Amino acid sequence: MITLAIETSCDETSAAVLNKDKVLSNIILSQQDHSKFGGIVPELASRSHLESIVSVTRTALLNAGINLKDINLISATSEPGLIGALLVGLNFAKSLAASLNIPFIPVNHIRSHLYSNFLCNQKAIYPFIGLIVSGGHTMLVLVEDFNMHTVLGNTIDDAAGEAFDKAAKLLGLGYPGGAQIDNSAKSGNENFIRFPKAKIKNSKYDFSFSGIKTSLLYYLRDVSENEKSRADFVNDVCSSFQKTVTDDLFEKTVSACSEFNVKKISVSGGVSANSEMRKKFNQLKSRNFEVYFPEIQYATDNAAMIGLCGYLSYISADDKTFFKSASLLTPAKARLDYEKF
Ligand code: KG4
Ligand code: ZN
């Protein structure tokens, strides 16, 4: 069963080829045009996807040693994401499926992050608590089976990755900033500043990261120039900021594990590349937890996770004819209504 997968929800144009759940190729083209604007410009993202979608797909097929006629299934991200960017990949994939007369599977991008941990010879291990931390989403999910998800918590304002990006911008570290903060934090003092932790009324598992960003803004406005010019100043700020954000993610995840009596955790999304996140969560292994992080290439947006989620959707569906008509007629949304995202 060969799946071709396409991901264009944000600023990565990606195509992957899978044989069942094994990745044969995974090509990711990260758009470079956005950094000078300090954030993604949706119009530029759509145009850039249009320019590269065909060559990225060709390269994925070539690297996998697969011809168009060998593909059995096509999947693409249908939501959520930048609408113009999504339309490029979604319509490209649907048209290709229609022309090859093969099934098309729409895939929810956030849900697919959950499965990025199961791309490397590791089968999904239900039930698990999934923590999805990316530039656009922060979500805590109880996953009992492929079709059984309960969203426990969500961000009520900024996503964790967005908070890293905004903090990096305030510190003049460039965009996207998560990896830069991670790097600087390595030689900083995490107890240098005590940022406030967000308290959310009537909610155990929701997140809020806009307060810490504002605290950082005021701190940088008020701190002396002399202090700012100290060699380790930025490292200390990064380390303290990173500690506050990762402590919050860690504590809520562990508390969900204890409430639902689950000792398996899957962390995914761009922020799962963070070294402090990995250190903190991996320490749980000594308390008999199973902890999963994606390989770095599958942490940020990629089509391989869309392919795996599409393939798993297809094999778990009772009525496979649905996917056939979906490629031609049905809005992708219809299939996704049963999902709780
Ligand atoms: O999953 P992703 O590629 O895109 C979305 O679906 O949003 O996540 C991108 C986010 C960015 O905010 C980026 O700053 C963050 O992941 N990120 C990191 C690290 N690497 C990427 N955040 C913290 N530490 C990192 N090492
Ligand atoms: Zn993502």
Side-chain angles (χ1 to χ4, degrees), residues 109 113 134-136 161-162 164-165 176-179 182 269-271 273-274 299-301:
H109 178 91
H113 269 300
S134 70
E162 191 179 357
F164 271 96
D165 293 337
D182 192 355
V271 182
N274 185 271
T300 46
D301 290 349

Side-chain angles (χ1 to χ4, degrees), residues 9-12 109 113 133-137 160-165 175-183 242 268-275 299-302 305:
S9 65
C10 194
D11 60 336
E12 262 90 25
H109 178 91
H113 269 300
V133 270
S134 70
H137 306 277
E162 191 179 357
F164 271 96
D165 293 337
Y175 180 88
Q180 274 100 318
I181 291 200
D182 192 355
N183 256 336
Q242 181 172 273
S268 59
V271 182
S272 71
N274 185 271
S275 57
T300 46
D301 290 349
N302 65 88
M305 65 184 191

